[in-house]
Amino acid sequence: MSASVRLSCGLIGFVDSTETDRTQSFAVAPIFIAMSWFLFFLSTIFVCCRANVCPCERPELCQQIREERDFEVFVFDVGGKTWKSYNWSMVTTVATFGKYDAELMCHAHSKGARVVLKGDVPLSDIVDQDNRTAWITEKVSQAKSQFMDGINIDIEQAVEEDSPEYHALTALVKESTETFHREIPGSQVSFDVAWSLKCIDKRCYDYITIAESCDLLFVMSYDEQSQIMGDCIAMANAPLHQTLAGLLCRCFIINQEKKAIFNTTKFLSFFLCFQLMTNLLK
Ligand SMILES: *[C@@H]1O[C@H](CO)[C@@H](O)[C@H](O)[C@H]1NC(C)=O
Ligand SMILES: *[C@@H]1O[C@H](CO)[C@@H](O)[C@H](O)[C@H]1NC(C)=O
Ligand SMILES: *[C@@H]1O[C@H](CO)[C@@H](O)[C@H](O)[C@H]1NC(C)=O
């Protein structure tokens, strides 16, 4: 794929360099007008193929990751080159919250890890169905042109239960998942949630339907002191027992109501993993 792309781009480069000579005799013969349209047509191809040239050393590194995982090590990358120090034998997904870095994408793919977009939008803008579809279409085409493997939807906005925004958010996650899965086979759509289901920071979302329609929920247990009602006293951001309670409640409720993301085997391995962590920390 990349060879043919490079070939046609090389050709356009050559055609473009003759363009200055041509403009001098522009009015002389109609053939030049036809030619200029031809050049315009070719430069359109140039623009379109240039955006999709694989930046990796080997073209196969631009192929999206399709492998399904039972256990994810999910990284939020905020830019710079710190990714060079990640332990890549553990990382399975990198959500890029910084500037897009093609080198990071190539490297992640060489290690079998996914690289996903960050997705955030004011909910009031996507209550409208056309706006919602437009947002999703734009994200999918961005992911495709950057050879990425999905999207991490990080909407941390306050939402009233049963409001237009509440339903729009649920629909956004569902439609994003459907579109990404259809357009980029094997892609991953994840959604970031607070540590507890109980309307943390007024994020009263339809968690069960959201969990059911996306590939995975990322529980932001690193951020548990956001609701400070009493004295502002320094406390742990992720106290172990509160974290565990939040996670288990979430798994249990989602599992009970819709048998969604956690089947019993997964639930149990999750529990054992946390028990192990508790023991290690003793
Ligand atoms: C990276 O992770 C692997 C797997 O857990 C581990 O065996 C290895 O020691 C780690 N490497 C470093 C440099 O920490
Ligand atoms: C559609 O989205 C734009 C921003 O992208 C916003 O300004 C506009 O109000 C939205 N339209 C509707 C009908 O929600
Ligand atoms: C439950 O999850 C385990 C581990 O991922 C998997 O092997 C098993 O097939 C799943 N069971 C069902 C009923 O989906």
Side-chain angles (χ1 to χ4, degrees):
M1 176 192 126
S2 120
S4 68
V5 160
R6 249 181 237 132
L7 191 70
S8 56
C9 289
L11 172 70
I12 308 306
F14 166 73
V15 172
D16 275 353
S17 67
T18 64
E19 195 162 9
T20 34
D21 302 338
R22 183 188 52 75
T23 43
Q24 282 156 9
S25 51
F26 185 75
V28 180
I31 185 152
F32 287 118
I33 297 172
M35 215 173 126
S36 79
W37 277 108
F38 180 61
L39 287 173
F40 175 73
F41 172 70
L42 286 183
S43 15
T44 321
I45 296 176
F46 176 69
V47 168
C48 107
C49 78
R50 188 167 171 84
N52 286 313
V53 173
C54 175
C56 307
E57 218 173 289
R58 288 181 283 128
E60 67 266 26
L61 292 182
C62 279
Q63 279 163 18
Q64 277 93 356
I65 305 292
R66 291 182 176 219
E67 192 193 337
E68 254 190 67
R69 308 251 191 187
D70 276 339
F71 189 82
E72 287 274 349
V73 175
F74 200 100
V75 177
F76 291 103
D77 183 274
V78 291
K81 293 288 179 190
T82 41
W83 59 265
K84 293 198 174 186
S85 320
Y86 294 166
N87 185 339
W88 285 98
S89 64
M90 298 172 86
V91 175
T92 58
T93 301
V94 178
T96 52
F97 278 45
K99 203 166 150 273
Y100 174 68
D101 182 347
E103 201 192 347
L104 164 60
M105 179 276 293
C106 301
H107 189 75
H109 283 181
S110 77
K111 303 293 178 187
R114 286 188 170 83
V115 180
V116 299
L117 283 173
K118 172 196 175 168
D120 188 15
V121 58
L123 288 178
S124 53
D125 284 0
I126 51 97
V127 169
D128 176 70
Q129 171 76 66
D130 290 341
N131 255 12
R132 196 158 67 233
T133 307
W135 186 83
I136 296 169
T137 308
E138 197 241 306
K139 289 294 164 193
V140 167
S141 84
Q142 190 186 353
K144 273 186 174 174
S145 69
Q146 296 176 344
F147 309 97
M148 295 172 85
D149 312 271
I151 189 166
N152 173 250
I153 302 177
D154 184 37
I155 309 268
E156 300 185 26
Q157 297 157 42
V159 170
E160 292 287 338
E161 211 171 307
D162 217 21
S163 62
E165 285 80 8
Y166 173 92
H167 295 290
L169 176 58
T170 312
L172 180 79
V173 177
K174 185 167 187 290
E175 289 162 24
S176 299
T177 308
E178 286 165 359
T179 314
F180 266 88
H181 284 181
R182 188 178 62 239
E183 298 291 324
I184 306 174
S187 60
Q188 178 203 83
V189 178
S190 55
F191 184 79
D192 299 338
V193 298
W195 68 273
S196 156
L197 284 164
K198 292 180 187 161
C199 293
I200 298 298
D201 296 324
K202 300 225 162 43
R203 289 177 232 164
C204 307
Y205 309 159
D206 182 357
Y207 288 112
I208 290 162
T209 313
I210 287 174
E212 197 179 42
S213 56
C214 68
D215 293 307
L216 65 102
L217 295 184
F218 183 96
V219 185
M220 298 182 286
S221 298
Y222 46 73
D223 202 6
E224 291 175 34
Q225 306 304 347
S226 58
Q227 296 188 313
I228 298 170
M229 306 304 181
D231 292 338
C232 185
I233 301 169
M235 281 188 280
N237 254 342
L240 187 65
H241 292 103
Q242 182 170 314
T243 303
L244 204 52
L247 281 172
L248 291 182
C249 263
R250 187 180 283 285
C251 298
F252 189 70
I253 289 168
I254 291 173
N255 200 37
Q256 281 297 299
E257 291 211 14
K258 288 269 173 88
K259 305 213 178 312
I261 51 170
F262 283 94
N263 70 28
T264 321
T265 317
K266 280 187 185 169
F267 180 74
L268 215 63
S269 53
F270 212 67
F271 183 72
L272 290 175
C273 166
F274 270 91
Q275 218 176 25
L276 184 72
M277 266 177 63
T278 322
N279 286 335
L280 285 177
L281 291 171
K282 261 183 194 160

